Amino acid sequence: MRVIADLHIHGRYSRATSSQMNLPEIALYSKIKGLNLVGTGDFTQPAWLKEIKQTLTNDDDTGLFRLTDNSNSQTRFMLTAEVCTIFDYKNNTKKVHHVILAPNFDVVEQLNEQLARFGNLSSDGRPILNMTASHLVEEVMSVSNLNMIFPAHAWTPWFSVFGAFSGFESIADCYQDMTKHIYAIETGLSSDPAMNWRLSSLDRFTLLSNSDCHSFWPWRIGREANVFELTQFTYNQIIDTIRTNDSSRLKFTIETDPAYGKYHWAGHRNCKVSYSPAEAIKFANICPVCRKRLTKGVEQRVEELADRPSDFKRENVPMFMHLLPLSEIISTVFGVNSPSTQVVWSEYNKLVSKFGNEYNVLIDASQDALASVVDVVLAETIVKVREGILKVNPGYDGIYGQLVLGNTNLLNANSTKKRVQQLNMADFFRL
C-alpha cells in the first residue's frame, strides 16, 4: 500500500506552534493534505505525552497508533520527537537538532527518563539537552535497537549538523563512533536530494523530507513528505526501509522547491538583501548595507562541502518531486499577501472537495479537470508548479521564497483584494 508520511512535526506545547495542533486536528489536516502517516512530535514533553497516551490507541501491534475515539480515521501516528543538543567540540559550541522515532510507549518512557538527566523536558516540545550528539545516540539506542535517530533539517545555518554557524564538516565529525547508528538525514526546506547528492560522503544515508511543522498554521503539515510503497503498514517495515535506503519501498520524497526555504540564499532580512553563493563570496560574506556578517545560505554551504558537480545525479535511490503548498500557489495567483485569507481557502476547499486531498490536486489532477473547478489561470499555475516551469525567488535569513508568476498571471488581483479578510481556524471548514 502507498503510505505518505510526514515524520517530523510539533504539537501545541512547542514554541510558536498553534494551539490547534492537538492530535484530532493534526489527523484532520493530515487527511486534507493526503497524509496517512504523521509523527506525533514532542513525545519528550510530559504534558504532550500524556495527551498522546489519552488520545491514541496502538493499531493492532503495528507500532503505529490511531485516534481512540475515531475508528474511521485513516490517519496513523508514529511516536516521534525532536531534541536539541548543545556541546563543545574543538573549542567551538555546536548546536544540532535531531529527530527520534520510537516503537511504543514503554520505550518512550524509558528514553525520557534517560534524557531528563540532561535537560528540562517540560520547558518546550523540543528540549535542549546538554550532551554531545554521539552521547545522545548512545542513550537512544541503548534503550531499544528499534529506535531511530537522524539529524534534523541538516543544512539550516543554526542548529543543524552542517549548519554554517554551529555545525560540522561531516556526519562522522558530529556523531563520532555512534555514526554507525545514523541511517538517514533530513534535507530540510532549503535543500533537496539533488543538492545532497553532491556530497559523496552522504551516499550511504537515506534522504528524508518532513515538514518540521513548527508554525501557527496547522496547514503547513505535509509541505514535505516521504512516499512509501509497503507490503505491511508497520513501524518495523518503515524503519527497515529507511535503514536500507530501499528505493523499491521508499519511492520518492515530496520537496518544496529549495528556493522556497527560509535559508536557501545568503542575506540579511533587516537590510532586505540576498545573494547567490557567487555574490555572497564576492562580498566576503559581509552585508554591504550594515557591514555585519551575512546569514550564509544553504546553497552556499552545500557548495563549500560538495565534491561533485551541480548536475550530478545518483542512480537506484529514491527520487523526488518539487511542489509548493497549494495555499501558497492560490495566494500568489490572487495577489494576496497571506494564505490565511477567505479567498484563498474558498478556492482551496473547492479543489480539495473535488479531488479528495491536496496531494491529488498538486500531483494528479489534469489541467482541464482543475479548470472545471477554478479559474483557468489558477489551474495552469498549479500544473506549471508541478512541472517545475515557474521560478521561485530564493528565501533568505528566515524569509520564505516567493513564487514568481510574471506579468500575466495575476488573477483579478484588484477586485479580489476587496474581499480579503483574515481567517480564523474555526472558520476554515465553513467556507
Side-chain angles (χ1 to χ4, degrees):
M1 68 174 294
R2 173 156 290 191
V3 174
I4 306 181
D6 182 356
L7 301 178
H8 180 189
I9 71 165
H10 293 277
R12 64 193 185 94
Y13 290 93
S14 281
R15 293 189 183 101
T17 300
S18 172
S19 61
Q20 297 288 331
M21 288 291 278
N22 56 61
L23 293 164
E25 289 291 306
I26 291 170
L28 177 60
Y29 281 99
S30 296
K31 178 183 177 182
I32 295 166
K33 201 76 179 187
L35 296 164
N36 49 0
L37 177 62
V38 65
T40 60
D42 303 345
F43 66 57
T44 54
Q45 213 286 338
W48 183 242
L49 179 58
K50 181 178 179 181
E51 285 192 27
I52 294 173
K53 289 181 175 180
Q54 292 173 340
T55 308
L56 299 184
T57 299
N58 189 290
D59 189 37
D60 300 324
D61 296 320
T62 60
L64 305 175
F65 298 79
R66 61 175 174 82
L67 294 174
T68 301
D69 61 356
N70 187 354
S71 59
N72 294 323
S73 175
Q74 298 301 305
T75 304
R76 294 297 178 263
F77 289 86
M78 181 184 290
L79 299 173
T80 65
E82 181 186 14
V83 300
C84 171
T85 54
I86 299 179
F87 56 99
D88 289 334
Y89 175 82
K90 294 184 177 179
N91 298 317
N92 291 308
T93 299
K94 302 296 184 180
K95 303 175 182 180
V96 184
H97 287 184
H98 319 260
V99 178
I100 304 171
L101 315 179
N104 57 58
F105 286 127
D106 287 342
V107 167
V108 164
E109 288 173 347
Q110 293 177 55
L111 182 57
N112 286 351
E113 184 177 351
Q114 294 288 86
L115 297 184
R117 296 180 294 141
F118 304 97
N120 180 4
L121 301 188
S122 301
S123 63
D124 185 29
R126 182 184 59 204
I128 296 173
L129 305 176
N130 296 307
M131 60 194 308
T132 66
S134 59
H135 189 184
L136 171 66
V137 176
E138 183 178 13
E139 294 287 351
V140 169
M141 300 311 298
S142 70
V143 171
S144 172
N145 61 11
L146 294 178
N147 288 335
M148 175 166 278
I149 182 168
F150 52 86
H153 43 74
W155 292 96
T156 54
W158 294 279
F159 301 102
S160 71
V161 65
F162 293 128
F165 294 143
S166 60
F168 293 83
E169 302 293 297
S170 71
I171 299 292
D173 284 345
C174 178
Y175 291 103
Q176 300 289 309
D177 59 335
M178 291 291 109
T179 303
K180 62 187 178 183
H181 295 296
I182 304 298
Y183 293 93
I185 67 170
E186 184 182 72
T187 59
L189 293 185
S190 293
S191 86
D192 63 9
M195 295 169 69
N196 288 265
W197 292 341
R198 297 188 60 195
L199 279 72
S200 60
S201 62
L202 299 183
D203 284 356
R204 81 171 188 82
F205 300 102
T206 300
L207 302 179
L208 298 176
S209 293
N210 302 295
S211 71
D212 189 12
C213 183
H214 198 292
S215 166
F216 183 74
W217 308 116
W219 59 74
R220 293 199 186 278
I221 287 174
R223 56 188 172 180
E224 295 201 329
N226 311 280
V227 181
F228 297 90
E229 196 68 45
L230 304 176
T231 56
Q232 297 178 328
F233 191 8
T234 65
Y235 175 90
N236 285 344
Q237 188 159 121
I238 292 166
I239 295 303
D240 183 66
T241 300
I242 296 171
R243 283 178 175 164
T244 58
N245 200 16
D246 184 351
S247 61
S248 71
R249 293 187 291 179
L250 176 54
K251 306 301 290 187
F252 63 95
T253 55
I254 295 171
E255 311 274 339
T256 64
D257 186 314
Y260 175 76
K262 294 192 292 184
Y263 296 100
H264 188 65
W265 270 12
H268 262 176
R269 70 156 73 193
N270 291 338
C271 299
K272 296 182 172 60
V273 295
S274 64
Y275 301 104
S276 69
E279 292 171 324
I281 292 170
K282 182 178 69 174
F283 288 114
N285 294 311
I286 299 298
C287 176
V289 178
C290 69
R291 309 305 301 170
K292 295 180 180 178
R293 185 170 57 164
L294 293 168
T295 299
K296 187 179 292 185
V298 168
E299 189 174 40
Q300 183 178 349
R301 182 64 172 153
V302 170
E303 193 70 41
E304 289 176 350
L305 300 183
D307 58 354
R308 289 168 172 163
S310 59
D311 61 352
F312 180 84
K313 183 177 180 180
R314 290 193 64 194
E315 303 292 338
N316 301 316
V317 293
M319 291 292 105
F320 66 96
M321 68 183 309
H322 284 155
L323 297 174
L324 290 175
L326 180 57
S327 57
E328 300 285 347
I329 297 171
I330 297 171
S331 63
T332 303
V333 169
F334 276 79
V336 297
N337 293 327
S338 171
S340 58
T341 56
Q342 185 173 10
V343 65
V344 170
W345 293 108
S346 177
E347 299 300 304
Y348 184 99
N349 286 342
K350 288 179 190 176
L351 290 164
V352 169
S353 296
K354 173 67 175 179
F355 298 105
N357 61 60
E358 182 175 336
Y359 290 140
N360 288 342
V361 174
L362 293 174
I363 298 172
D364 299 319
S366 69
Q367 185 170 324
D368 287 345
L370 293 167
S372 71
V373 180
V374 294
D375 189 280
V376 65
V377 176
L378 177 54
E380 180 184 18
T381 304
I382 292 169
V383 173
K384 284 184 175 180
V385 169
R386 178 190 305 167
E387 295 176 348
I389 294 173
L390 296 179
K391 177 184 175 183
V392 176
N393 283 335
Y396 65 96
D397 198 16
I399 297 175
Y400 283 108
Q402 295 292 319
L403 180 64
V404 179
L405 299 183
N407 296 324
T408 59
N409 287 338
L410 289 179
L411 180 61
N412 301 324
N414 292 332
S415 61
T416 297
K417 288 178 182 177
K418 297 177 182 178
R419 295 189 286 128
V420 171
Q421 64 184 52
Q422 290 295 314
L423 194 66
N424 294 323
M425 289 294 97
D427 297 330
F428 183 88
F429 292 104
R430 292 205 287 266
L431 294 178

